[in-house]
Amino acid sequence: MTVVGPFGLSVRDQALEADVQAGLAAVEEGLLEATKSEVPFITEAAQHLVRAGGKRFRPLLVMLASQFGDPYAPGVVPSAVVVELTHLATLYHDDVMDEADVRRGVESANQRWGNSVAVLTGDFLFARASYILADLGPEAVRIQAEAFERLVTGQILETAGPSEGRDPVDHYLDVLGGKTGSLVAVACRFGAMMSGADETVVDVLTQYGERLGVAFQLADDVLDIASDSHESGKTPGTDLREGIPTLPVLRLRERVARLGLAEDIALSELLDSDLTDDARHAEALSLLRAHPALEQARRDTVRYAEEARAALAPLPACDAKISLVELCDLVVHRAG
């Protein structure tokens, strides 16, 4: 049993391990090649987060999904590069919106070079992803375009907030389906589709990816509150400081509306105050870490991970399926 990739997946089959390792190594080479420019400064900025590492969660899913067809098919690795480039581009943009100063344990691009360079570098990565995508055929272009539309829509909905009368938790889960679930679903879909897997298998893996992606982001929400910067690779409580209500905060507000407890109201008011003050931010983070709302968010993470696991039921038994099931467990483990 060997651990594959920074995400920590344990692969029990030697042939599968070799395929996944070789695929991820090829993706890494592809990422470096795709982020090269004739302008050295653009290369430096574009490779900033590539070289910082990362879990390569989406390329890993492409490789595992490709096992249900021909994992050596020529479109598998390029499609994984496309998905990861798209993800990286969103990180550059997200850090500008969140005013983050740390990403993957290194100085964020916006902190290092300013917002304009960070935004334009993200655009450069989108352009390179589109260039590679063009060689994968019109269906792949359409799938990516739909996912990108969902991703942007999710970001806009998050910024706009829920409409009047809409349950904030339901709204937020829809946001995550767009912002995170869509691209994780595409990773699974591309892996299966590019490998020539049956359409029913492609559909199953797409549904799995959608649910796993939401679980993955919910685990990130929990980690943003519960972990320190060493564990998560970014500044804890970033969303709190920016006033972005992630699931633990939404579960707290839900509890305030339902029970009206004085201590919950006090914490909710603290979270709604100016958390750019370091002392107030630290107090809010400490109180939320000890609050039942965080545990409720963990249970929500488990629920989506279990839905992802259940979606895999129609697939034939094989080592790749076992690994996909284990990823559900790893996502839950990240959330504690």
Side-chain angles (χ1 to χ4, degrees):
M1 186 167 68
T2 306
V3 173
V4 172
F7 195 71
L9 177 68
S10 300
V11 176
R12 296 163 177 80
D13 178 75
Q14 288 186 346
L16 175 59
E17 177 197 341
D19 284 349
V20 172
Q21 293 279 24
L24 290 176
V27 169
E28 211 64 29
E29 291 179 8
L31 288 171
L32 290 173
E33 185 62 33
T35 48
K36 287 180 182 176
S37 168
E38 293 179 357
V39 181
F41 176 69
I42 295 177
T43 302
E44 181 186 5
Q47 292 186 351
H48 181 64
L49 290 184
V50 173
R51 294 187 180 279
K55 293 172 283 292
R56 302 295 187 254
F57 179 50
R58 292 155 190 81
L60 175 60
L61 286 169
V62 174
M63 296 307 136
L64 290 174
S66 72
Q67 291 291 319
F68 294 88
D70 175 12
Y72 312 112
V76 172
V77 169
S79 71
V81 173
V82 165
V83 173
E84 188 67 6
L85 282 175
T86 303
H87 171 58
L88 287 169
T90 66
L91 297 185
Y92 281 84
H93 289 177
D94 282 352
D95 285 346
V96 171
M97 294 183 69
D98 297 342
E99 298 180 7
D101 54 9
V102 176
R103 170 67 72 174
R104 294 183 171 177
V106 300
E107 188 178 29
S108 64
N110 51 294
Q111 179 71 13
R112 183 167 182 177
W113 294 295
N115 287 344
S116 295
V117 169
V119 169
L120 291 169
T121 302
D123 293 344
F124 176 80
L125 295 182
F126 281 131
R128 286 298 173 89
S130 298
Y131 183 84
I132 298 169
L133 193 65
D135 290 333
L136 298 179
E139 178 67 4
V141 173
R142 183 186 64 79
I143 289 169
Q144 174 78 353
E146 288 177 350
F148 191 46
E149 179 184 348
R150 286 189 62 203
L151 196 158
V152 173
T153 299
Q155 184 64 68
I156 292 171
L157 287 175
E158 180 181 66
T159 302
S163 58
E164 186 175 353
R166 181 81 198 280
D167 179 75
V169 171
D170 288 345
H171 169 84
Y172 183 66
L173 292 173
D174 281 349
V175 166
L176 296 193
K179 282 186 61 179
T180 306
S182 61
L183 196 57
V184 175
V186 165
C188 294
R189 187 172 183 177
F190 274 172
M193 188 176 86
M194 295 299 166
S195 73
D198 291 342
E199 191 60 37
T200 53
V201 172
V202 175
D203 289 343
V204 164
L205 287 167
T206 301
Q207 294 171 30
Y208 163 83
E210 179 87 20
R211 290 161 176 77
L212 188 70
V214 174
F216 188 83
Q217 184 57 54
L218 291 177
D220 262 7
D221 285 359
V222 172
L223 281 172
D224 184 58
I225 303 298
S227 71
D228 58 30
S229 58
H230 176 74
E231 292 175 291
S232 63
K234 56 187 179 182
T235 305
T238 297
D239 290 328
L240 286 185
R241 192 183 293 276
E242 295 303 313
I244 299 171
T246 57
L247 194 60
V249 174
L250 294 175
R251 287 303 189 191
L252 168 66
R253 292 177 180 173
E254 185 180 64
R255 181 181 163 100
V256 167
R258 188 176 72 252
L259 301 177
L261 299 177
E263 58 268 28
D264 292 347
I265 294 172
L267 176 54
S268 183
E269 290 175 348
L270 174 62
L271 293 174
D272 289 337
S273 68
D274 181 10
L275 295 183
T276 58
D277 177 80
D278 288 343
R280 192 179 291 118
H281 178 263
E283 180 187 3
L285 199 56
S286 176
L287 289 171
L288 195 52
R289 282 171 175 169
H291 196 276
L294 185 62
E295 184 55 38
Q296 177 62 56
R298 285 194 176 100
R299 290 196 295 270
D300 292 322
T301 304
V302 171
R303 175 166 58 87
Y304 272 90
E306 288 301 323
E307 288 179 4
R309 184 201 305 270
L312 293 171
L315 294 182
C318 62
D319 288 302
K321 181 178 180 179
I322 291 171
S323 295
L324 291 171
V325 168
E326 185 179 342
L327 278 175
C328 298
D329 298 330
L330 287 171
V331 164
V332 171
H333 176 71
R334 290 174 69 239

